[in-house]
Amino acid sequence: MSILVYKQRQRHPNKKDTPGANYAHVRYIATRPRVMKNENGDHGLFGKMEPGPVTEFEDWRDVAKSVYANSKRGIVMYRSVVSFAEDTARELLLKDQKSWQRYIENHMMTIAEKNGIRRENLQWAAAVHGEKGHPHIHVVFWDKSVRAKNPFTPPQIPDAIRRQMIKDTFAEKILAFAKEKDLAVTEMRRVSDALLAQFEEEMRCKSPGRFKAAARLLEEELEQGIGFEREVLAKLAERLFAIRAVIPAQGRIAYQFLSQEARDKTDETVHFLLENVPEVRRCFDKYVDAKYRMAEMYSSDGGWLSKQKEKFEKEAGKILANRVLSGVKAICRLENENCGAAYLKSHREYLASRIIMEALDMLSRLTWKQEEDLSGGQMFQGDLSKEARKELFLKNQDKGYEH
């Protein structure tokens, strides 16, 4: 493997699920665990929608919606990733999100030009994942001006990007290496392909195999966007199929209409998520806390507030339960489609990861809305009568319950 790993993929724009998959990929790179977050933000997505300085996007959903709309129009959304070994990243001073921002901005035109995209038509969004052993940056980029009729990228293009990025990133190191080899000055300045090949071989021999595991993981991220422990995903998938087994083949799948057995299994799955996926637990607690602080605006009675908190926890639990059932619905739908059974067999963990991401997305959006309402209420709380505060609380207390 190379001293720098560059991977690039894209989904065919004519596939029915491409817009949704591209939206999910943006969500994944922006919010997955260990993402380096924007300053004062809850996600890590940044980039450029037009020439100018790099923008730290306020809401990743705005970019995801743009990606979805472009996918609908047939524009190819390219997914790429650049990765280094941990010690190499340290040597390059890639220690925080800002340094990664500067790095990828300096190399975006290499990526664009090799893909035939003009500067004025380039749009891109990126996020850094501080993964132990192989910190890396995901980039989604596209040409806003075209609809590709044959969206095939020959492997020579990613390879050319990788080689050029190595030349630009390690120029001084390569030149020092060239001097050791007693090459001519003109040869050093050109940083020829032959010299680059020798340099890569030397780096690889010093640390054999250090990129192999990282490359495999990056392939999985580009293809599926799985960012959770495989054991947890496998167990969650088992639980989804267990719920499916006790639900009738026909009829509406909704929590309030489930049999007691199906409801118990769904509740157990919610408990499993809260116990085994820390991101879900944090989002769950933030939602309950935001609702609780809204209740405190109305009353300071400890007993009443305690009951309200129990109610808010049930609300959050039901939100998670309905995300779980959305996975069961997907299983039912795929069972009735051609090749659906084969897909279910090979994509069980992917289905489980999507359920987790949907749950996080739903809880985070509702928490954000609750925080917004809370901020508005706190600004004028002192001027409100007790009856007015009660009205404000009742107005907001049931938001986000039915999903």
Side-chain angles (χ1 to χ4, degrees):
M1 299 300 295
S2 170
I3 191 172
L4 177 155
V5 175
Y6 179 82
K7 300 285 184 182
Q8 182 176 308
R9 294 284 187 276
Q10 71 275 340
R11 293 180 65 92
H12 198 293
N14 291 341
K15 287 188 175 181
K16 186 177 180 181
D17 65 340
T18 291
N22 285 336
Y23 181 100
H25 183 70
V26 173
R27 173 179 60 194
Y28 167 71
I29 69 172
T31 63
R32 69 150 287 180
R34 291 176 294 282
V35 66
M36 294 184 185
K37 294 181 179 179
N38 296 338
E39 189 174 355
N40 300 321
D42 60 355
H43 67 87
L45 203 66
F46 60 88
K48 289 187 182 183
M49 293 297 105
E50 57 187 24
V54 170
T55 298
E56 293 186 0
F57 301 114
E58 185 173 341
D59 192 336
W60 64 264
R61 296 174 192 84
D62 295 335
V63 179
K65 288 174 183 176
S66 177
V67 165
Y68 183 91
N70 283 330
S71 299
K72 282 283 193 181
R73 292 169 53 207
I75 293 177
V76 179
M77 299 288 115
Y78 297 98
R79 307 178 185 181
S80 66
V81 62
V82 182
S83 175
F84 300 101
E86 203 163 6
D87 57 344
T88 305
R90 274 197 302 271
E91 184 181 334
L92 295 171
L93 302 180
L94 297 174
K95 58 184 183 302
D96 53 24
Q97 195 209 48
K98 293 293 185 185
S99 55
W100 279 93
Q101 283 184 22
R102 290 190 292 272
Y103 177 82
I104 199 62
E105 183 181 19
N106 289 336
H107 296 277
M108 275 310 303
M109 285 316 301
T110 293
I111 295 173
E113 288 168 0
K114 298 292 185 185
N115 282 282
I117 303 175
R118 294 182 177 180
R119 181 186 297 271
E120 63 269 22
N121 295 326
L122 173 65
Q123 294 183 324
W124 60 275
V128 183
H129 295 170
E131 203 72 30
K132 186 173 178 59
H134 65 286
H136 56 274
I137 183 168
H138 284 270
V139 186
V140 179
F141 64 96
W142 61 95
D143 184 335
K144 67 180 182 180
S145 69
V146 301
R147 291 185 59 186
K149 295 180 180 179
N150 182 25
F152 169 70
T153 302
Q156 293 88 341
I157 289 180
D159 187 56
I161 293 171
R162 178 186 62 82
R163 295 174 73 83
Q164 188 60 52
M165 289 184 72
I166 290 174
K167 290 178 182 180
D168 296 338
T169 301
F170 302 101
E172 291 183 10
K173 206 168 186 179
I174 294 171
L175 290 177
F177 173 78
K179 288 179 182 178
E180 290 181 9
K181 299 292 182 181
D182 296 324
L183 296 178
V185 173
T186 53
E187 184 81 0
M188 288 189 286
R189 286 176 179 164
R190 284 204 304 269
V191 192
S192 68
D193 287 343
L195 177 59
L196 178 63
Q198 290 179 36
F199 174 73
E200 284 197 79
E201 181 64 27
E202 177 116 340
M203 293 299 103
R204 186 164 55 245
C205 289
K206 287 180 178 178
S207 303
R210 66 179 180 173
F211 284 98
K212 289 183 179 178
R216 285 195 297 269
L217 288 170
L218 295 174
E219 289 284 356
E220 287 182 358
E221 290 199 355
L222 280 170
E223 295 298 329
Q224 295 187 340
I226 294 176
F228 305 98
E229 292 183 18
R230 302 297 289 269
E231 184 180 357
V232 170
L233 294 177
K235 289 181 178 179
L236 176 57
E238 288 178 11
R239 290 172 180 273
L240 293 174
F241 280 87
I243 297 170
R244 168 66 190 98
V246 297
I247 287 179
Q250 304 295 326
R252 181 183 173 193
I253 300 176
Y255 186 82
Q256 62 265 37
F257 300 133
L258 295 178
S259 67
Q260 190 59 50
E261 183 181 12
R263 187 174 294 189
D264 289 343
K265 288 183 179 295
T266 302
D267 291 341
E268 289 170 6
T269 304
V270 168
H271 181 73
F272 173 83
L273 284 171
L274 292 172
E275 290 295 313
N276 293 277
V277 185
E279 295 78 15
V280 173
R281 166 56 74 178
R282 281 196 291 270
C283 223
F284 178 95
D285 290 341
K286 283 182 69 175
Y287 174 84
V288 173
D289 180 63
K291 300 278 283 189
Y292 184 83
R293 284 185 288 133
M294 177 66 80
E296 284 184 312
M297 292 174 63
Y298 169 60
S299 174
S300 59
D301 183 273
W304 181 82
L305 286 172
S306 179
K307 290 180 181 178
Q308 290 300 313
K309 186 175 182 180
E310 290 178 9
K311 178 183 176 182
F312 301 148
E313 288 174 344
K314 288 181 180 178
E315 288 181 11
K318 188 172 180 183
I319 292 169
L320 289 175
N322 279 289
R323 293 308 96 195
V324 167
L325 293 176
S326 72
V328 177
K329 292 175 188 177
I331 293 172
C332 293
R333 185 179 69 252
L334 287 166
E335 285 175 346
N336 296 322
E337 293 180 0
N338 292 333
C339 303
Y343 180 89
L344 283 172
K345 185 177 180 180
S346 61
H347 289 73
R348 289 167 62 100
E349 292 179 1
Y350 177 50
L351 175 66
S353 73
R354 291 287 294 271
I355 297 310
I356 296 175
M357 293 304 295
E358 285 181 13
L360 290 171
D361 185 31
M362 178 63 73
L363 280 173
S364 64
R365 282 194 291 115
L366 292 172
T367 302
W368 175 81
K369 183 64 174 68
Q370 193 66 34
E371 292 279 4
E372 188 180 56
D373 291 336
L374 180 62
S375 297
Q378 285 175 335
M379 283 195 302
F380 50 76
Q381 181 185 1
D383 299 329
L384 293 178
S385 66
K386 182 176 179 180
E387 194 61 33
R389 291 202 303 272
K390 178 179 180 181
E391 185 178 339
L392 175 67
F393 171 70
L394 292 174
K395 175 185 173 183
N396 289 281
Q397 69 169 344
D398 292 324
K399 286 186 177 180
Y401 185 72
E402 291 293 344
H403 299 282

